[in-house]
Amino acid sequence: MHFCMDWRSMKFDWNRARAFLVTAEEGSLSAAASALGMTQPTLGRQVAALEEELGVLLFDRVGRGLTLTANGLKLVDHVRAMGEAASHVSMTASGQSTTIEGTVRITATEVASAYVLPAMIAGLRAAHPGIEIELVATNNLRDLRRREADIAIRGVRPTDPQLIARKLSQETACLYASKGYLAVHGPFETPGALAQAQFVGFEENDQFLEGLNAQGLTVFEHQFPVRTSAHLVQWQMVRQGLGIGVMVSRIGDADPLVCRATPWLPAFEFETWLVAHREVNTSRRVRLVFDWLVKEFKNLPAVA
C-alpha cells in the first residue's frame, strides 16, 4: 500500500512550533522573546495558540520560569527535529550546505557483513563523515517496504516492483575443510569418498543438504554431527577441524588454515544484488551509500 500524505488536513503552524521550542530551550517567555527578537506578549500568544490547537498544556509555571509538562516533553524532540530540518533547508537553499548527513541502515549476510563491507564502510566514512551506518548482519531477509532497512545486499533478485535492484557480482562458493582435518580424514577425491566425511551444518540444514545432493553427491543427515544457526560460527568450526563446510570462494581461498575439500566439484554459483526502496531516488544519503556500494563491489577482484 502506498502511503499518501493528506496535506489538506495538515494545519500545523511552524511559527507556533518554533515559539514553543525556543521557550522550552530558554526556560522563560522573556528569554525566548529576546532570542527570537519579538515581544513577550506576541510570543506568549503563539505558545498559547499552539496549546489550543493541540488541545494540551505544554508548560507549567514554576516561579518566573516555565517547565515542560509530560505532553510538552513528548512534543519537544519532534519539534527540535523539525527545527533542524528547517535549518538544513535554509542552508541548502542558500548554498551553505554541501554535506550529506544522517543514518543509513544496511542489511547483509553475516559473511558479507564481516568480510566484505567493513573496508567499504571505512572508505565511505572517511569520505563522508556525516553519514552514519547501522549494519544489520543477518541471513534472514529484512523487509525494505516496512523500512526494516534502507539498503539490502541479497543473494537473490527481488521481485517486488517497489524495490530497485542492481546486480553487483556473480559469486561462487565451495566446500572447505581445515588442512588438519584433510590430513586425517582425506583426501576426498571422488563423490563416493565423501560418504565417510563429516560436515558442519546449519540449524535449518535441509537447503544445504539438498544443495549438496543436487551436485551429484550422496550425503546424509547423520554426516552433520555439528550444526549452528550462524554461518560465521560454522566457518570457525570448519577452520578448527570439525568437518567440511561451505564458504564464499574469495574468502575461503584466502584463508591459510583451510583448502578446498573437493577441488574436482564445480563451485556453487550465486548472484549478489544491491536492493533499496524507491526512496533511494529522493533521499540523498541513501543514494550516496547505494552508489558507493555499487562502485566498491565493482572494484572487488574477480573470483577464480
Side-chain angles (χ1 to χ4, degrees):
M1 178 183 297
H2 177 66
F3 178 77
C4 182
M5 182 74 74
D6 185 1
W7 296 106
R8 290 174 297 181
S9 67
M10 186 178 296
K11 300 177 181 179
F12 196 74
D13 189 321
W14 163 242
N15 288 323
R16 296 173 182 175
R18 184 182 63 164
F20 158 70
L21 177 62
V22 177
T23 302
E25 292 181 338
E26 296 293 334
S28 71
L29 288 173
S30 58
S34 176
L36 289 172
M38 64 174 62
T39 66
Q40 183 173 329
T42 299
L43 179 68
R45 284 194 295 271
Q46 289 187 347
V47 173
L50 180 63
E51 290 179 320
E52 182 178 354
E53 179 182 347
L54 299 177
V56 296
L57 186 65
L58 298 175
F59 292 103
D60 285 324
R61 291 189 176 274
V62 180
R64 295 185 176 181
L66 298 173
T67 61
L68 289 167
T69 64
N71 287 320
L73 284 170
K74 292 178 183 177
L75 184 65
V76 70
D77 285 341
H78 298 296
V79 177
R80 185 174 289 114
M82 291 172 60
E84 292 172 355
S87 177
H88 288 315
V89 169
S90 178
M91 291 177 67
T92 299
S94 64
Q96 299 177 48
S97 178
T98 58
T99 61
I100 302 178
E101 300 177 343
T103 300
V104 176
R105 196 176 200 214
I106 303 172
T107 179
T109 64
E110 295 173 359
V111 170
S113 297
Y115 288 99
V116 180
L117 288 178
M120 296 182 181
I121 293 173
L124 171 68
R125 291 274 302 127
H128 303 279
I131 295 290
E132 297 180 357
I133 298 296
E134 182 178 342
L135 181 57
V136 182
T138 176
N139 294 331
N140 299 322
L141 295 182
R142 293 301 178 100
D143 192 342
L144 300 186
R145 290 282 297 274
R146 297 177 62 181
R147 298 301 192 274
E148 292 180 349
D150 299 303
I151 295 173
I153 297 173
R154 296 177 175 175
V156 293
R157 182 175 186 172
T159 56
D160 190 332
Q162 292 299 315
L163 300 180
I164 292 175
R166 178 79 63 86
K167 183 178 177 180
L168 295 174
S169 61
Q170 184 78 27
E171 296 280 357
T172 62
C174 295
L175 296 178
Y176 294 89
S178 72
K179 295 176 181 178
Y181 180 84
L182 291 174
V184 175
H185 301 283
F188 302 107
E189 297 178 340
T190 64
L194 286 175
Q196 306 303 317
Q198 290 186 341
F199 292 80
V200 182
F202 299 95
E203 183 179 29
E204 301 294 334
N205 204 48
D206 289 347
Q207 185 176 0
F208 187 26
L209 182 59
E210 291 170 2
L212 292 174
N213 289 321
Q215 293 290 311
L217 308 178
T218 303
V219 181
F220 300 95
E221 286 189 14
H222 71 267
Q223 292 178 254
F224 295 83
V226 179
R227 302 183 188 186
T228 176
S229 61
H231 196 175
L232 290 181
V233 176
Q234 184 248 28
W235 182 237
Q236 292 303 319
M237 290 180 174
V238 170
R239 298 177 79 244
Q240 292 298 319
L242 273 71
I244 298 173
V246 65
M247 178 49 70
V248 178
S249 303
R250 71 171 71 251
I251 297 168
D253 289 347
D255 194 318
L257 294 182
V258 303
C259 57
R260 295 192 183 190
T262 54
W264 43 267
L265 184 69
F268 306 98
E269 295 185 353
F270 65 96
E271 298 175 339
T272 302
W273 289 84
L274 189 64
V275 187
H277 190 269
R278 289 191 178 277
E279 186 185 61
V280 72
N281 291 325
T282 56
S283 171
R284 291 178 68 209
R285 67 176 184 275
V286 175
R287 185 81 226 184
L288 184 150
V289 176
F290 188 93
D291 291 342
W292 183 277
L293 292 175
V294 170
K295 179 192 69 173
E296 290 296 304
F297 271 88
K298 285 183 178 178
N299 292 334
L300 286 177
V303 295

